[in-house]
Amino acid sequence: MFISFEGIDGVGKSTQIRLADEYLRARGKDVLCTLEPGGTELGQEIRNLLLHRKGDVDPRAEALLYAADRAHHVATVVRPALANSSVVISDRYFDSSVAYQGAGRKLSAKEIRDISLWAVDGLLPDLTVLLDLEPTKAAERRNNTGQEADRLEREKIDFFEAVRNEFLKLAEAEPNRFLVVDANQSPSEIFGHISKKLDELLRS
Ligand code: TYD
């Protein structure tokens, strides 16, 4: 079972991923939690280039670096774990590229999707949980963590508006794969919606 968590920066993905991990382990599943960018050693280097290196990155170069991270991650971590019948939970997957590079950077969403799907040889998640929150609220949450903002997090509110809208469009286009949860609720309320969906998947 392959599950991805998506949403703009600051929606609370990490907390929900931790809860999902605990929930599935308590039900006897082997769970691997991983992330993009940076789910491999090579990926950590790419993550550094993307988020912490000084200076701009051309939007197409940015899209290809995320795709390179993803290709290596899927080939060396995600597919082997799925073959071992583990549940894999990824903090972000290719929908992030379609939303951030496609809509945020104003490249073509279709082209980004095609590049990303080529990179992963067509591997789609069984479930994508989209945590949805207004960009101003997400920015408040980010500011409260006390961590320094990375290159993407320094983008303006209208960038995150575009990214959020694209995520919602993607979810509308694939209602069977996506679960959209209003992230303007307490962590346990949010997880209540997610656990119902996990139960459904476990039964199927
Ligand atoms: P993330 O790990 O969620 O950030 P943090 O560790 O600060 O919570 O994601 C890093 C950034 O990369 C985030 O701003 C979203 C961006 N991103 C893209 O622009 N495209 C992508 O394909 C992915 C996977 C992430």
Side-chain angles (χ1 to χ4, degrees):
M1 194 195 297
F2 181 27
I3 305 172
S4 60
F5 278 72
E6 300 282 9
I8 59 173
D9 294 80
V11 290
K13 280 183 286 102
S14 325
T15 309
Q16 295 304 320
I17 288 172
R18 189 173 43 73
L19 294 171
D21 180 25
E22 285 166 9
Y23 190 84
L24 291 166
R25 278 176 200 278
R27 279 149 191 80
K29 295 285 166 193
D30 252 349
V31 185
L32 175 78
C33 289
T34 183
L35 76 156
E36 292 189 358
T40 60
E41 241 174 72
L42 171 67
Q44 281 294 334
E45 294 189 35
I46 297 176
R47 182 181 173 96
N48 242 346
L49 292 174
L50 281 164
L51 301 180
H52 303 298
R53 194 180 150 277
K54 283 216 178 74
D56 289 340
V57 183
D58 173 76
R60 284 173 190 261
E62 181 180 281
L64 290 169
L65 284 168
Y66 279 110
D69 165 73
R70 181 163 304 125
H72 191 64
H73 181 225
V74 165
T76 64
V77 174
V78 178
R79 283 195 194 271
L82 291 173
N84 251 340
S85 70
S86 311
V87 177
V88 176
I89 301 182
S90 187
D91 184 342
R92 300 192 179 281
Y93 191 51
F94 80 94
D95 298 298
S96 273
S97 282
V98 180
Y100 279 80
Q101 280 64 55
R105 299 298 186 214
K106 303 188 171 61
L107 297 171
S108 141
K110 180 176 179 310
E111 281 172 5
I112 298 294
R113 186 184 164 88
D114 289 349
I115 288 170
S116 302
L117 281 177
W118 177 79
V120 300
D121 203 8
L123 181 71
L124 285 173
D126 301 294
L127 168 66
T128 297
V129 178
L130 172 60
L131 300 176
D132 180 54
L133 189 64
E134 267 174 44
T136 47
K137 293 217 168 90
E140 269 168 37
R141 286 192 191 171
R142 289 203 298 278
N143 293 338
N144 289 339
T145 63
Q147 281 178 344
E148 206 187 316
D150 63 38
R151 190 175 60 86
L152 275 278
E153 286 168 349
R154 288 194 292 271
E155 288 293 339
K156 306 260 175 338
I157 287 293
D158 49 341
F159 173 85
F160 287 105
E161 289 283 3
V163 175
R164 178 198 189 195
N165 289 337
E166 185 66 30
F167 272 131
L168 289 170
K169 250 170 67 184
L170 292 172
E172 219 176 82
E174 281 181 83
N176 289 336
R177 173 163 69 89
F178 275 88
L179 170 72
V180 183
V181 185
D182 176 5
N184 195 19
Q185 310 178 71
S186 71
S188 61
E189 280 172 319
I190 295 173
F191 191 66
H193 298 285
I194 297 173
S195 63
K196 261 193 223 149
K197 191 72 192 180
L198 293 178
D199 287 340
E200 259 175 49
L201 276 182
L202 289 175
R203 277 197 302 271
S204 65

